[in-house]
Amino acid sequence: MSLDIMQCTAKTFTEPHGEHPRVLKHVSIEARHPTEGRVGLLTALHIDREQCRGDFFGIMDEESQELSDFALTLFDRFGRLKSELVENDYLKGSGVWGRELDRGPILYVEDIQVPEKFRRNGVASFLLQNLAESNLVSAGTFYFAWPTPTIRPDNEDEWKQQRHAALDLFHKNHYRRVGRTSFLCYALDPAHPSRVIAIGDDVDSHVNAFQGGGEPVPTQQGAGLRILPDGSFAWGEHADQDVNAANDAPYPLHFMMEAKNLGIPVRDLPGAIRGAYSQNPAAVRQKDDRGFTPLHVAAYAGNAEAVRVLLALPETSGIAEDMRGRDNVAGRTPLELCEQKMRDIKDDALRVVYTLKRAMGEDIPLTEDQYVDQRRLGCTCGQCTDGWLSPRMRYRLLSEAEITSDTMDMSTWGMGSYGSFTSDLAIMRLPEELREGRITKSFYLGYAAVVRAIASVLQRPGVAGLPTAANVEGLLRGQGARFFNQGGRVEHAMDYVLHCAHEQSPYGDGTWDQDREDLAAEGDPSSVAYAAMPMCDNDLDFVGVAQKLGLETAHSYRSSAYFGNDYEDEDEDDDEDMDDEE
């Protein structure tokens, strides 16, 4: 049916989310024709990630599987774009997206429905254009979509045709792929690189580019995976195996690589790999249905022993080629798969990373144990002091300690010896038994001196710059005596500094990070230096810092304990069930 789209009008509806009204808002846009009525409907979700406070993944997971996949594929737990999508030469795809996706609201297009008789009249594009022009969004909003049909037809050819049509729709409306993922993004700024790149120059997703996995390779007589009476697995025939105890895993070597993580013991894994190679050299490079070779699986599983044995096979085995292989459902090399999994299997994964990097020619001036020790506490930048205090976290705490000590000093100006400090935030952070005591000006100034000493310690390089009780007390040299005499401890002052830094981090209101960004843009040397520091998984690990410093309040820095009720209160305008916009 022919339809004049110019006669259509758009009507927009918004509704706050029932559980997370500060974070999420439902948006729907109707396309209405004067005689045909509603001819199309677009539904979207407005996401204010600044309000997620470190629980971006959890909130998205509660909403739907699609949004969970979206969050886990593109972002970290704070809603910032994954580094690999900016820095990795392959995974960043066309490279048109960068750190601008770290901030600002998100509008996720969930569905576009146009009745069959009204299709091919531009209704879907009309809805997308009105979404972009809606006064619901700010200039910094980015629009995301996963261009795929809502309902999958049984016919595979029809499915591919519908997917192509969905991708074509978003491409025509200036949506471009983020990295090589399945998700597309749209920027309001017409000068953004994504608005300049031609449709034909946009890359395909690694999922679509994947050519398919390999078929299981038949094993020779006596070879293959066997189950032994004690429940363990082994390769080939064994004297103590049960009759007909062959395992029917279609990719037995892959299964053995992952067995450890499944809690299944494997006898003589090195011997199994060498045995499989001697019986059928192609087996050690066989791809499974995901496109993963045994080396990919061993790396992802953090199986350092298996990785070493595979890499030690003769050069003619071709294993070296697999180190750079990306033709799989993840579009990743073994090294990238391991780095992706690192938080779950830290020590083993670090040994795999070390082994693969060395095998690929990277010069690492450390032994394997030194490399692991330097990074086992979460360090991914290689510059964390003692493996846990990153340069960015150190700078954050130093900045907060300096500001806090100055503020504490100023709050005593003009105050008598027994001024009131009961409502002071620094005092409220102290343990109850200290708050119930007599808080004098000298006690408070001693408290401020300890906070200032923490700042001084943080300025020192190396382990001498760790804000431990011993380092801080060694610098005080008698200062803060009244604070200590009344039961105060360095840990109490450190907890206050950490608490203030936490409150202004992405776990809180994010003001400190925004200030650094604004100051760096203005050329402030200190903020520019901070921006140049390497990013690390420890940059916002407040729990880890609290634990390493022995703070009794470490549990309070966990997001589940700290922000359990943050989303129960609604904004004043959330009392309205529905807002309409013409």
Side-chain angles (χ1 to χ4, degrees):
M1 174 181 177
S2 179
L3 189 76
D4 185 359
I5 196 66
M6 298 301 293
Q7 294 183 359
C8 291
T9 58
K11 190 174 181 63
T12 302
F13 304 89
T14 66
E15 183 178 5
H17 192 273
E19 188 173 355
H20 303 294
R22 292 184 182 274
V23 180
L24 306 177
K25 183 184 294 184
H26 298 289
V27 178
S28 58
I29 301 180
E30 288 185 357
R32 303 193 68 86
H33 188 270
T35 58
E36 300 296 336
R38 192 171 85 176
V39 296
L41 174 67
L42 180 151
T43 55
L45 189 68
H46 185 276
I47 306 167
D48 186 353
R49 52 185 157 173
E50 302 295 331
Q51 297 293 330
C52 289
R53 296 189 170 186
D55 198 25
F56 182 63
F57 288 162
I59 294 173
M60 294 298 99
D61 183 60
E62 290 176 16
E63 192 61 19
S64 70
Q65 182 61 52
E66 180 178 333
L67 282 165
S68 177
D69 291 343
F70 162 69
L72 290 169
T73 299
L74 299 185
F75 302 102
D76 65 15
R77 65 185 184 276
F78 301 104
R80 300 175 306 194
L81 192 64
K82 286 184 175 179
S83 296
E84 64 187 27
L85 298 177
V86 179
E87 301 167 2
N88 186 288
D89 289 339
Y90 175 81
L91 295 177
K92 70 180 181 182
S94 64
V96 297
W97 301 105
R99 287 297 163 203
E100 71 277 8
L101 295 187
D102 287 352
R103 305 191 70 84
I106 290 172
L107 253 178
Y108 187 87
V109 180
E110 297 179 298
D111 194 18
I112 301 177
Q113 299 175 17
V114 179
E116 179 64 35
K117 65 178 180 177
F118 298 129
R119 293 178 184 175
R120 290 168 290 280
N121 284 294
V123 175
S125 289
F126 173 81
L127 289 166
L128 286 172
Q129 290 161 13
N130 274 274
L131 179 66
E133 296 167 3
S134 169
N135 61 16
L136 293 172
V137 298
S138 60
T141 300
F142 289 96
Y143 301 68
F144 290 87
W146 178 38
T148 191
T150 305
I151 301 175
R152 179 165 184 158
D154 295 332
N155 185 287
E156 187 66 23
D157 290 336
E158 183 180 353
W159 167 246
K160 291 180 180 179
Q161 184 178 4
Q162 290 184 10
R163 282 177 57 196
H164 178 77
L167 180 60
D168 186 53
L169 166 67
F170 285 96
H171 266 157
K172 287 191 300 185
N173 286 276
H174 305 291
Y175 283 70
R176 296 294 182 265
R177 194 173 303 283
V178 182
R180 293 180 182 271
T181 72
S182 298
F183 298 95
L184 306 187
C185 185
Y186 169 79
L188 285 168
D189 181 4
H192 190 275
S194 66
R195 299 288 293 274
V196 178
I197 185 175
I199 293 175
D201 293 332
D202 200 14
V203 299
D204 201 357
S205 73
H206 61 73
V207 174
N208 292 337
F210 175 48
Q211 298 300 309
E215 294 296 327
V217 177
T219 55
Q220 299 177 5
Q221 181 68 32
L225 196 59
R226 295 292 188 270
I227 306 172
L228 303 184
D230 62 2
S232 64
F233 283 77
W235 187 268
E237 294 184 340
H238 285 251
D240 57 349
Q241 76 182 49
D242 292 339
V243 178
N244 299 321
N247 180 266
D248 60 358
Y251 305 99
L253 268 184
H254 297 71
F255 182 83
M256 294 181 77
M257 305 300 174
E258 297 181 285
K260 179 181 178 181
N261 290 347
L262 298 173
I264 301 172
V266 175
R267 288 194 190 182
D268 188 19
L269 180 58
I273 295 172
R274 297 186 190 105
Y277 177 70
S278 64
Q279 292 163 354
N280 181 7
V284 297
R285 297 195 63 198
Q286 168 66 24
K287 290 185 177 182
D288 65 12
D289 54 356
R290 302 165 295 181
F292 295 145
T293 66
L295 183 63
H296 284 82
V297 176
Y300 188 66
N303 194 327
E305 181 182 39
V307 168
R308 292 192 194 99
V309 176
L310 285 167
L311 293 176
L313 291 175
E315 185 177 349
T316 54
S317 68
I319 292 293
E321 296 177 26
D322 293 340
M323 286 195 292
R324 292 174 172 80
R326 295 183 180 277
D327 186 22
N328 53 67
V329 293
R332 285 171 167 77
T333 65
L335 176 59
E336 290 162 355
L337 284 170
C338 185
E339 290 175 331
Q340 182 185 24
K341 191 70 172 175
M342 194 173 297
R343 276 201 172 274
D344 298 332
I345 44 176
K346 179 62 68 178
D347 278 23
D348 288 339
L350 284 170
R351 295 187 185 282
V352 170
V353 167
Y354 179 87
T355 301
L356 287 171
K357 284 186 173 182
R358 290 289 296 270
M360 294 173 74
E362 184 173 332
D363 181 24
I364 303 177
L366 299 170
T367 66
E368 182 176 305
D369 286 341
Q370 289 172 333
Y371 184 87
V372 172
D373 287 342
Q374 187 181 71
R375 290 165 172 78
R376 67 156 39 97
L377 296 176
C379 176
T380 55
C381 68
Q383 297 185 28
C384 288
T385 303
D386 204 31
W388 58 271
L389 185 64
S390 75
R392 284 176 171 250
M393 176 62 91
R394 180 192 289 269
Y395 181 93
R396 184 186 296 270
L397 296 177
L398 169 60
S399 172
E400 196 58 56
E402 290 177 335
I403 293 172
T404 299
S405 60
D406 288 344
T407 302
M408 292 177 74
D409 281 341
M410 287 189 290
S411 67
T412 65
W413 292 355
M415 185 178 288
S417 299
Y418 299 99
S420 177
F421 297 95
T422 55
S423 61
D424 186 273
L425 180 60
I427 297 300
M428 293 174 65
R429 193 64 191 174
L430 291 173
E432 184 178 358
E433 60 271 19
L434 284 180
R435 297 199 307 271
E436 291 177 345
R438 192 176 188 182
I439 305 298
T440 63
K441 183 177 180 179
S442 57
F443 173 89
Y444 190 84
L445 286 173
Y447 188 0
V450 178
V451 172
R452 191 177 305 105
I454 290 172
S456 298
V457 166
L458 286 165
Q459 292 176 333
R460 295 179 168 183
V463 293
L466 295 174
T468 61
N471 284 343
V472 174
E473 289 170 356
L475 194 66
L476 281 167
R477 297 177 181 176
Q479 296 181 63
R482 183 61 63 90
F483 174 73
F484 291 122
N485 290 341
Q486 289 184 223
R489 294 162 48 197
V490 170
E491 289 85 352
H492 299 152
M494 188 62 228
D495 173 61
Y496 177 50
V497 172
L498 196 63
H499 167 78
C500 292
H502 187 281
E503 285 291 275
Q504 297 178 66
S505 76
Y507 278 121
D509 58 21
T511 53
W512 188 91
D513 296 79
Q514 185 62 59
D515 287 345
R516 296 289 79 68
E517 193 172 303
D518 294 342
L519 288 169
E522 295 171 4
D524 173 65
S526 180
S527 298
V528 170
Y530 173 77
M533 292 177 185
M535 298 184 74
C536 181
D537 282 358
N538 285 339
D539 288 343
L540 292 166
D541 187 10
F542 291 93
V543 175
V545 171
Q547 290 175 336
K548 292 299 294 182
L549 295 177
L551 306 188
E552 297 175 355
T553 54
H555 67 280
S556 71
Y557 296 100
R558 299 184 188 277
S559 59
S560 58
Y562 213 82
F563 301 111
N565 299 314
D566 267 11
Y567 308 114
E568 293 183 0
D569 297 332
E570 299 185 356
D571 292 329
E572 293 179 4
D573 59 355
D574 286 342
D575 292 331
E576 299 180 23
D577 292 333
M578 187 78 74
D579 296 323
D580 294 354
E581 173 200 333
E582 293 293 344

